[in-house]
Structures are given as structure tokens and as C-alpha cells.
Amino acid sequence: MQEVDREQYHPFFVNLMQTCNYDHVFLAAKRKRQGLLITWKKDKYELVHRKNVYYDLLDAGNVGPTLWTGNIALLVGLKCLEQEGRGIWISNTHLFWHPRGSYERMRQAGLLVSETTEFSKAKQAWPILICGGMSLTFVSC
């Protein structure tokens, strides 16, 4: 999920996830009220890789950001506990939203794809899910 309020994240989401046997990672930019949340069933997956992406600190080729947005992405690699050698890569983001910000939004989307592709090279056989907006994705091994 994205746009998870810091105040709702703890204790509401943390307690809910623990009750339902989910583990999670959460990332919010320093000056943002909302962040990104990726969850998974503890008995199905194990977190083995994590990367935080800060778009404002990255160049797309030789093109840097046009303005400071504070937008971020969260990338994880989850190993499947039920089948040896299986797993999944998941990327979640909140791209720049302004109607006149299409260039910056596309730059961030391109960075998300390239960062996810590079990140996933550790286990190339695992499928990749790239999420954004209010998307919830459920995957089984």
C-alpha cells in the first residue's frame, strides 16, 4: 500500500498485521506524512533483500530531478518458504502527482523500473511486481 499515514501505521497497521500473522516493511520520506507499506504472510515468505530508493538523489541517465519532490520507492525480495528456490521481487512507489509534473513523474517511473531491474539481478528467476497508487497485490508461491 502507499500513502499510509505515519500515525495510522503505528499502532493500527502494526497490530493488525501481527494479529493476521503478517510481516512488513515501511518507508516514509522525512518530510512526508505518508509512506509505503509492503506486507507478506510470515509463514509463506521471508524478507531477504530490501532497498530504499530516493528519486531526488538519482539521475536518469544524465538527467537529474527537475525539482525536489521527496518521492520514494521501496523494493523487497521475498524468498518463498514453501518451495525451494522460489521468491518474488516487489517494488512499491508514490510518484510525483502534480498535473504539470508529467516529466518528473515519468523520470521517476523510469528510475523505478531501472532500479527494480538492477535490484532483481540477485535472483533473476523470481518474478517482478511493480506497484504504485493504491494497489494491493496478493501472490502465492
Side-chain angles (χ1 to χ4, degrees), residues 9-141:
Y9 164 68
H10 198 280
F12 176 75
F13 278 111
V14 172
N15 292 338
L16 177 64
M17 289 180 290
Q18 288 174 345
T19 301
C20 296
N21 196 35
Y22 279 85
D23 203 348
H24 71 283
V25 290
F26 178 80
L27 176 66
K30 288 184 181 181
R31 290 182 278 182
K32 297 274 186 168
R33 192 183 79 201
Q34 299 150 336
L36 305 169
L37 178 69
I38 298 176
T39 66
W40 61 91
K41 280 285 208 179
K42 289 181 185 180
D43 58 347
K44 303 249 183 223
Y45 292 96
E46 175 186 346
L47 178 68
V48 292
H49 300 281
R50 175 184 176 161
K51 182 175 184 177
N52 301 338
V53 175
Y54 300 91
Y55 294 123
D56 294 334
L57 303 178
L58 298 174
D59 291 337
N62 58 0
V63 179
T66 56
L67 64 150
W68 189 268
T69 67
N71 290 83
I72 56 175
L74 179 57
L75 288 56
V76 298
L78 302 174
K79 178 176 78 170
C80 182
L81 298 175
E82 295 177 339
Q83 295 180 19
E84 185 67 32
R86 300 283 310 234
I88 191 164
W89 299 104
I90 301 174
S91 297
N92 189 12
T93 191
H94 183 210
L95 301 175
F96 188 57
W97 61 269
H98 195 278
R100 292 190 202 134
S102 59
Y103 168 80
E104 187 59 31
R105 186 170 39 259
M106 291 305 296
R107 189 188 79 82
Q108 291 176 0
L111 284 168
L112 177 65
V113 171
S114 63
E115 290 291 314
T116 301
T117 302
E118 186 63 31
F119 183 62
S120 68
K121 286 183 179 177
K123 298 280 186 186
Q124 293 182 349
W126 293 3
I128 299 171
L129 290 174
I130 297 179
C131 308
M134 289 302 294
S135 59
L136 285 174
T137 306
F138 297 90
V139 178
S140 61
C141 293

